[in-house]
Amino acid sequence: GENVEQHPSTLSVQEGDSAVIKCTYSDSASNYFPWYKQELGKRPQLIIDIRSNVGEKKDQRIAVTLNKTAKHFSLHITETQPEDSAVYFCAASPYGSGNTGKLIFGQGTTLQVKP
Amino acid sequence: EAGVVQSPRYKIIEKKQPVAFWCNPISGHNTLYWYRQNLGQGPELLIRYENEEAVDDSQLPKDRFSAERLKGVDSTLKIQPAELGDSAVYLCASSFDRLNTEAFFGQGTRLTVV
């Protein structure tokens, strides 16, 4: 079955710096890749997603890139702010289903932005 | 819009006792998911409903877990009997459809089995 690996598990950056989180997946049929942000004790919230027919997507300070050949995708946050501090999860929708909610999640990255 | 509503927020029970979680999805959302999130890990899918039909329950431990979604709206997830290893956050999510719309998560129910 699908397996999603996420690195690093923790990331600490200075405010204003960029942060990059990387994920790899095993199922070449996976075709939907969302990123969720989860603050302590709160629900996961979708921040950006990408489908396999697109190589890059950007939304203000957040961007996601996808390399289908290498089976990896990355989250890029520029000009980080303290409120970006949270746990970030990548996910993949396996089996080519494109199902936006049937997801295999990575292990999470705890991002700390120091003021 | 209230979002996905779950109750209770917290539950502490002794092992071997039964427990139930309730989820009210966003109005009009046909697809509903139950996930389990262990401490420090990503959520894991337990079961997915399309309206009232469970279409993907391969990850649900059927010896002690059960779920239902009567009338295709609210859903309950039950554990009987609970074991120490069931301690986790149980998340419910819903989406309008399964292909083109975002899945929204509820706040979750934090279960502690002692």
Side-chain angles (χ1 to χ4, degrees):
Chain A
E2 174 68 285
N3 184 49
V4 177
E5 296 286 337
Q6 183 172 347
H7 300 280
S9 57
T10 60
L11 179 60
S12 181
V13 300
Q14 288 295 135
E15 181 177 0
D17 288 350
S18 296
V20 180
I21 303 171
K22 299 181 178 181
C23 289
T24 59
Y25 61 98
S26 60
D27 182 1
S28 57
S30 292
N31 56 4
Y32 174 68
F33 306 91
W35 285 88
Y36 281 84
K37 176 184 180 182
Q38 187 174 30
E39 298 177 11
L40 190 62
K42 296 190 177 181
R43 72 190 74 198
Q45 291 190 298
L46 181 72
I47 55 172
I48 196 167
D49 57 11
I50 193 168
R51 294 187 183 269
S52 58
N53 58 347
V54 175
E56 184 174 357
K57 184 176 180 181
K58 190 173 182 179
D59 183 4
Q60 299 181 346
R61 297 186 296 109
I62 295 173
V64 57
T65 58
L66 172 64
N67 184 324
K68 286 173 54 180
T69 303
K71 291 190 284 187
H72 67 69
F73 55 114
S74 300
L75 177 71
H76 304 253
I77 306 175
T78 58
E79 301 173 22
T80 53
Q81 302 167 3
E83 51 265 39
D84 294 329
S85 297
V87 179
Y88 291 80
F89 291 97
C90 63
S93 181
Y95 319 127
S97 68
N99 191 314
T100 57
K102 180 176 179 177
L103 301 169
I104 306 298
F105 282 84
Q107 299 89 338
T109 296
T110 300
L111 173 64
Q112 181 186 29
V113 180
K114 299 177 181 177
Chain B
E1 190 173 276
V4 178
V5 178
Q6 291 187 245
S7 68
R9 287 294 313 277
Y10 306 92
K11 188 74 176 180
I12 301 175
I13 62 169
E14 293 183 343
K15 61 181 180 181
K16 301 184 181 179
Q17 294 302 306
V19 64
F21 315 124
W22 176 80
C23 173
N24 178 230
I26 294 173
S27 178
H29 280 197
N30 301 312
T31 310
L32 183 145
Y33 312 82
W34 282 102
Y35 278 85
R36 176 171 59 190
Q37 185 174 22
N38 291 313
L39 186 65
Q41 298 183 20
E44 296 177 303
L45 182 66
L46 293 175
I47 190 169
R48 172 170 68 98
Y49 280 92
E50 296 290 345
N51 297 303
E52 67 275 10
E53 183 182 1
V55 296
D56 187 349
D57 62 355
S58 57
Q59 297 293 94
L60 191 71
K62 298 181 183 61
D63 56 336
R64 298 183 299 107
F65 286 66
S66 64
E68 61 182 13
R69 192 186 184 197
L70 300 176
K71 300 182 182 178
V73 182
D74 294 0
S75 177
T76 57
L77 178 68
K78 298 178 181 178
I79 309 175
Q80 182 172 11
E83 298 178 352
L84 295 176
D86 296 331
S87 295
V89 175
Y90 291 83
L91 293 163
C92 178
S94 72
S95 62
F96 178 73
D97 65 44
R98 62 183 176 85
L99 290 178
N100 298 308
T101 56
E102 173 186 349
F104 292 86
F105 282 84
Q107 297 266 42
T109 295
R110 181 177 296 278
L111 173 67
T112 302
V113 182
V114 297

